[in-house]
Amino acid sequence: PARGLDDVYDRGGGISAAQGAALGFRTMLGAGVGILRDESGDDVYEAQMFAQGLGFYYGLGLLWDGGGDDLYRAVRYAQGNGVHEAVGVLRDESGDDRDELSVGVGQGMGLDLAVGILWDGAGDDRYQAPSHAQGNATANGVGILSDGGGADRWELASDRLGWGRAEWFRGLPGVALLLYDPARAVFAREGKAVAPPEHSAELGGPRSEEHTSELQSLAY
């Protein structure tokens, strides 16, 4: 496990800066490139913050796993997360995987003009996070989670910041996208299953019914 240094901002964990992470010093020094490549096998990736395909302040972080039943576990800022003009990517080719964040901010999440991508090729996967995850963007970021298929389970808390939702900032939008197999997907909030709308694939994901009126008003 990548435990990490103490965090002076008390955000829930230590600063790991590991497992495919690239960190710069914000406003002072841009980051470089951090890559972790694993070809195959059942792996366990454990870290706290800033890890597992994380780019921070002009950095490029990539965790690329070739296959196997893998476990990804972290606190926040992890699992395909770009923060402050950076790019973070978690790519998993196949296997029945589990992606867990105890606080959130990851799993295909872009924050502040950054790009966060989680791409999973195949397998019966489980994604779990409280908030700001699973295709989410804030402050004009781009967050994408693309799952190639399988009997997947998507779990969030009661917070609505996930599942293809982007927040506007500075008078401009962000971009958030969740791609999944609707035939076998299960969505849950606080452990209780919720049903995605019938036409979610057409209108933009499991939360699309909440935005139908917004989409209609924009069309006119």
Side-chain angles (χ1 to χ4, degrees):
R3 300 188 183 279
L5 304 173
D6 291 339
D7 177 33
V8 296
Y9 299 105
D10 193 24
R11 289 169 288 188
I15 299 175
S16 298
Q19 299 174 359
L23 275 72
F25 292 92
R26 191 178 177 193
T27 74
M28 296 174 57
L29 181 65
V33 177
I35 299 175
L36 191 160
R37 176 74 166 101
D38 183 87
E39 186 65 31
S40 62
D42 299 340
D43 305 304
V44 176
Y45 299 96
E46 293 193 51
Q48 296 190 23
M49 296 194 304
F50 302 103
Q52 299 172 0
L54 177 283
F56 183 92
Y57 198 63
Y58 294 98
L60 169 60
L62 169 64
L63 196 169
W64 184 349
D65 189 281
D69 299 338
D70 305 313
L71 170 63
Y72 301 90
R73 180 179 289 145
V75 174
R76 68 193 298 171
Y77 302 122
Q79 299 171 11
N81 181 209
V83 182
H84 304 310
E85 300 93 3
V87 178
V89 180
L90 169 56
R91 177 185 177 102
D92 189 290
E93 300 287 347
S94 63
D96 299 337
D97 307 311
R98 291 193 59 166
D99 300 76
E100 301 176 358
L101 292 174
S102 60
V103 173
V105 193
Q107 296 178 356
M109 193 276 178
L111 190 160
D112 188 24
L113 301 171
V115 178
I117 300 172
L118 194 163
W119 185 92
D120 188 280
D124 299 336
D125 308 306
R126 181 172 180 176
Y127 302 91
Q128 185 175 11
S131 178
H132 290 88
Q134 300 172 19
N136 174 242
T138 63
N140 315 127
V142 176
I144 300 172
L145 197 162
S146 176
D147 189 283
D152 303 317
R153 183 176 177 87
W154 309 84
E155 298 184 28
L156 290 175
S158 59
D159 197 312
R160 297 295 180 181
L161 299 176
W163 294 349
R165 176 160 184 167
E167 298 176 283
W168 283 62
F169 188 61
R170 295 178 279 239
L172 295 170
V175 177
L177 183 63
L178 174 61
L179 301 173
Y180 64 97
D181 180 358
R184 296 192 288 167
V186 174
F187 291 88
R189 289 195 180 277
E190 298 185 319
K192 297 180 180 179
V194 295
E198 180 181 357
H199 301 296
S200 62
E202 299 175 20
L203 298 176
R207 298 189 60 260
S208 58
E209 275 188 349
E210 301 173 28
H211 303 302
T212 300
S213 60
E214 298 175 18
L215 291 169
Q216 291 172 340
S217 64
L218 287 172
Y220 296 98

